[in-house]
Each structure stands twice: as C-alpha cells, then as structure tokens.
Amino acid sequence: MEDKEESKLDELINHGEEYFKTRQELSKLIAIQKSSVVAAGLFSSMIIFFLFFFVVVFASVALAYLISFYTGKVYLGFLCIACLYLIAGLVFYAKRKSLVEEPMINAIIKNFNKSDSHE
C-alpha cells in the first residue's frame, strides 16, 4: 500500500515539475513574441519617420528658396525656415510629455496587455 502511495506521490511531483517547466517555457515564448511585436512596430515606425524626415527636409529647402526668390536674399529664406523650426522645436519641447512620452508608454502597455487568440 505504501509503495502505491509513494509511486502516486512521485508521479504527482513529476507532473508538477513538468507543469512548471512547461509554464516557464510558455512564459518565455510569450515574452519573446510580445517583444518581437514591439521591435517590429518600432522598426516600421523608424522607416516611416525617416521617409517623412526627408520629405520635410526637401520641402524646407524648397520653401527657403521660394522665400529667397520673393525677398531677393537667399540667407533670408533660410533664416525664416530656421526660425520656424526653432519655434516648432520649442513648442514640441514644452509639450513633449503629452505629445510623445505618454502616448508611447500607453501604446507599449496596451501592446503587452492585449490578449492573443492563441494564448
């Protein structure tokens, strides 16, 4: 009788160990999957950012030359665009928490907390 109880206890312990190892492996896989989703989103956002960056740079140069054309002085066109960027930079710096930091933190938290259909 004792052998039977010991074998059942050993079997229960073995199943418990297997369960915890499987659960640990599942947790690792879920963390890897969620991290890869965040990394892929970050990578695609960087590509979009650089594309828009180049659009803004070339549009700024074109606008500076347009202002230069109407004022007759090249430096004045570029100075106007520089002032425009300075003002935009100061506004962005003042509002950076509400415009960038908080939405990014919320998006990352939402991404990590969303449940997938296969979990």
Side-chain angles (χ1 to χ4, degrees):
M1 184 75 172
E2 284 183 27
D3 288 339
K4 212 176 201 183
E5 287 177 8
E6 284 182 22
S7 69
K8 285 187 178 186
L9 184 60
D10 288 339
E11 187 177 326
L12 181 63
I13 290 172
N14 288 337
H15 285 300
E17 288 175 353
E18 288 178 29
Y19 170 77
F20 286 115
K21 286 179 184 177
T22 304
R23 189 71 185 153
Q24 183 181 20
E25 187 66 27
L26 178 64
S27 297
K28 286 180 188 177
L29 292 173
I30 290 172
I32 289 170
Q33 187 263 341
K34 290 187 183 248
S35 298
S36 65
V37 168
V38 169
L42 183 62
F43 184 71
S44 65
S45 296
M46 285 175 43
I47 290 172
I48 292 169
F49 169 78
F50 281 116
L51 289 173
F52 279 111
F53 173 77
F54 286 119
V55 168
V56 169
V57 166
F58 287 116
S60 297
V61 170
L63 186 59
Y65 276 118
L66 181 67
I67 293 170
S68 298
F69 177 76
Y70 286 114
T71 61
K73 297 182 180 173
V74 176
Y75 72 90
L76 198 55
F78 284 93
L79 187 61
C80 288
I81 298 301
C83 289
L84 180 72
Y85 278 125
L86 178 65
I87 292 168
L90 291 173
V91 169
F92 182 77
Y93 182 76
K95 300 283 187 177
R96 71 186 181 279
K97 286 199 185 285
S98 64
L99 291 175
V100 176
E101 292 175 9
E102 291 174 2
M104 187 176 289
I105 289 169
N106 291 336
I108 291 171
I109 290 171
K110 187 184 294 183
N111 187 32
F112 269 97
N113 286 331
K114 76 176 178 183
S115 60
D116 296 328
S117 60
H118 55 75
E119 288 184 327

